Amino acid sequence: MIKTNSILDAKGLACPMPIVKTKKAMNAMEAGHVLEIQATDKGSTADMKAWSESTGHQYLGTVEEGTVLKHYLRKSSGDEQIEKKHANVISNDDLLSKMENQKSVVVDVRESAEFAFNHIPNAVSLPLGELEERLSELDKNAEIHVICRTGSRSDLAAQKLTSAGFKQVINVVPGMSQWNGPTEKSTN
């Protein structure tokens, strides 16, 4: 089950109505929230991808359930390129080679819907909004690599973990938006 903040029913509507309704729903949502759009128009998948790219929102993926297409979009925060503050940083390539040589804990702080469509195998999903109440799930002495889409949310998470007493916290930059290593899905 993919966790979303809102669901939009666009079933039975033909182009351009699913996009018109999606635009209106996204405008009313908070930055970073995930919208599920339920549509029956077969062309809506290409439309949602193109519209997301043109507006800066993130197209996460589509799941087919019978005749219904469930599209998942994340509203952009507009500050995806904020200044990085956590000093301990690792590149995607360095993390990949580290993962091959030793046991690394990768904590993915993106929303659960983002994680479901694309994540590093064995990564732990801890959305940024749930991080503080779930700190006990992590080993304070382990080397923890924090990843998100661009390095901004993971930067915040790395700061939170460090201030909570975690010893070896490393922010992965630029994150999943440019990850070339292995990935998997968990949308079932």
Side-chain angles (χ1 to χ4, degrees), residues 107 109 126-136 138 156-158 160-161:
V107 175
V109 296
L126 274 179
L128 183 60
E130 300 171 18
L131 188 64
E132 289 177 55
E133 69 236 21
R134 294 177 60 191
L135 289 176
S136 63
L138 300 171
L156 270 169
K160 285 183 179 186
L161 289 168

Short mmCIF file of all heavy atoms in Angstrom, two decimals, residues 107 109 126-136 138 156-158 160-161:
data_model
loop_
_atom_site.label_atom_id
_atom_site.label_comp_id
_atom_site.label_asym_id
_atom_site.label_seq_id
_atom_site.Cartn_x
_atom_site.Cartn_y
_atom_site.Cartn_z
N VAL A 107 19.72 4.86 4.84
CA VAL A 107 18.42 5.32 5.32
C VAL A 107 17.86 6.27 4.27
O VAL A 107 18.45 7.31 3.98
CB VAL A 107 18.52 6.02 6.69
CG1 VAL A 107 17.18 6.59 7.11
CG2 VAL A 107 19.04 5.04 7.74
N VAL A 109 15.14 8.86 3.28
CA VAL A 109 14.21 9.74 4.00
C VAL A 109 13.15 10.37 3.07
O VAL A 109 12.46 11.29 3.47
CB VAL A 109 14.96 10.85 4.80
CG1 VAL A 109 15.80 10.23 5.90
CG2 VAL A 109 15.81 11.73 3.89
N LEU A 126 12.65 5.60 6.04
CA LEU A 126 12.30 6.41 7.22
C LEU A 126 11.99 7.82 6.72
O LEU A 126 12.89 8.68 6.71
CB LEU A 126 13.48 6.48 8.21
CG LEU A 126 13.64 5.40 9.24
CD1 LEU A 126 14.86 5.65 10.10
CD2 LEU A 126 12.42 5.26 10.11
N PRO A 127 10.76 8.09 6.26
CA PRO A 127 10.45 9.42 5.75
C PRO A 127 10.82 10.50 6.76
O PRO A 127 10.67 10.31 7.97
CB PRO A 127 8.93 9.36 5.53
CG PRO A 127 8.64 7.91 5.30
CD PRO A 127 9.60 7.19 6.20
N LEU A 128 11.34 11.62 6.25
CA LEU A 128 11.83 12.70 7.10
C LEU A 128 10.82 13.08 8.18
O LEU A 128 11.20 13.30 9.34
CB LEU A 128 12.18 13.93 6.24
CG LEU A 128 12.78 15.12 6.97
CD1 LEU A 128 14.08 14.76 7.67
CD2 LEU A 128 13.01 16.27 6.00
N GLY A 129 9.53 13.14 7.84
CA GLY A 129 8.51 13.52 8.81
C GLY A 129 8.32 12.52 9.95
O GLY A 129 7.75 12.85 10.99
N GLU A 130 8.82 11.28 9.78
CA GLU A 130 8.68 10.25 10.81
C GLU A 130 10.00 9.98 11.53
O GLU A 130 10.04 9.18 12.47
CB GLU A 130 8.21 8.93 10.17
CG GLU A 130 6.88 9.03 9.46
CD GLU A 130 6.55 7.77 8.66
OE1 GLU A 130 7.16 6.71 8.91
OE2 GLU A 130 5.67 7.85 7.78
N LEU A 131 11.07 10.62 11.09
CA LEU A 131 12.41 10.31 11.57
C LEU A 131 12.55 10.38 13.09
O LEU A 131 13.02 9.44 13.72
CB LEU A 131 13.43 11.23 10.90
CG LEU A 131 14.90 10.92 11.14
CD1 LEU A 131 15.27 9.56 10.56
CD2 LEU A 131 15.78 12.00 10.54
N GLU A 132 12.12 11.50 13.68
CA GLU A 132 12.34 11.70 15.11
C GLU A 132 11.65 10.65 15.98
O GLU A 132 12.22 10.19 16.96
CB GLU A 132 11.95 13.13 15.52
CG GLU A 132 12.96 14.12 14.96
CD GLU A 132 12.62 15.57 15.24
OE1 GLU A 132 12.43 15.89 16.42
OE2 GLU A 132 12.55 16.35 14.28
N GLU A 133 10.43 10.24 15.60
CA GLU A 133 9.74 9.24 16.42
C GLU A 133 10.23 7.81 16.16
O GLU A 133 9.87 6.90 16.89
CB GLU A 133 8.23 9.35 16.27
CG GLU A 133 7.68 8.95 14.93
CD GLU A 133 6.84 10.03 14.27
OE1 GLU A 133 6.97 11.20 14.63
OE2 GLU A 133 6.06 9.67 13.38
N ARG A 134 11.06 7.63 15.12
CA ARG A 134 11.53 6.28 14.78
C ARG A 134 13.04 6.11 14.95
O ARG A 134 13.62 5.14 14.47
CB ARG A 134 11.11 5.93 13.35
CG ARG A 134 9.58 5.82 13.20
CD ARG A 134 9.15 5.55 11.79
NE ARG A 134 9.69 4.31 11.28
CZ ARG A 134 9.62 3.94 10.00
NH1 ARG A 134 9.06 4.73 9.11
NH2 ARG A 134 10.14 2.79 9.60
N LEU A 135 13.69 7.04 15.66
CA LEU A 135 15.14 6.98 15.87
C LEU A 135 15.60 5.67 16.50
O LEU A 135 16.68 5.17 16.21
CB LEU A 135 15.61 8.15 16.74
CG LEU A 135 15.58 9.53 16.11
CD1 LEU A 135 15.97 10.59 17.13
CD2 LEU A 135 16.47 9.60 14.89
N SER A 136 14.76 5.09 17.36
CA SER A 136 15.13 3.85 18.07
C SER A 136 15.33 2.67 17.12
O SER A 136 15.91 1.66 17.50
CB SER A 136 14.07 3.51 19.11
OG SER A 136 12.83 3.26 18.47
N LEU A 138 17.23 2.68 14.62
CA LEU A 138 18.59 2.76 14.08
C LEU A 138 19.63 2.58 15.18
O LEU A 138 19.43 2.96 16.32
CB LEU A 138 18.80 4.12 13.40
CG LEU A 138 17.87 4.44 12.23
CD1 LEU A 138 18.06 5.89 11.80
CD2 LEU A 138 18.13 3.50 11.07
N LEU A 156 18.92 17.63 6.03
CA LEU A 156 18.17 17.91 7.26
C LEU A 156 18.16 16.69 8.18
O LEU A 156 18.36 16.80 9.39
CB LEU A 156 16.72 18.26 6.92
CG LEU A 156 16.40 19.72 6.69
CD1 LEU A 156 15.00 19.86 6.10
CD2 LEU A 156 16.48 20.48 8.00
N ALA A 157 17.92 15.52 7.59
CA ALA A 157 17.88 14.28 8.38
C ALA A 157 19.23 13.99 9.02
O ALA A 157 19.31 13.59 10.19
CB ALA A 157 17.46 13.10 7.49
N ALA A 158 20.31 14.23 8.28
CA ALA A 158 21.66 13.99 8.81
C ALA A 158 21.91 14.90 10.01
O ALA A 158 22.49 14.47 11.02
CB ALA A 158 22.70 14.23 7.72
N LYS A 160 19.59 16.12 12.02
CA LYS A 160 18.76 15.62 13.12
C LYS A 160 19.40 14.40 13.79
O LYS A 160 19.43 14.29 15.02
CB LYS A 160 17.36 15.25 12.62
CG LYS A 160 16.48 16.44 12.34
CD LYS A 160 15.08 16.01 11.91
CE LYS A 160 14.21 17.21 11.65
NZ LYS A 160 12.82 16.84 11.37
N LEU A 161 19.90 13.46 12.97
CA LEU A 161 20.53 12.26 13.52
C LEU A 161 21.77 12.60 14.33
O LEU A 161 21.97 12.07 15.42
CB LEU A 161 20.88 11.28 12.39
CG LEU A 161 19.69 10.58 11.72
CD1 LEU A 161 20.13 9.87 10.44
CD2 LEU A 161 19.02 9.60 12.67
#
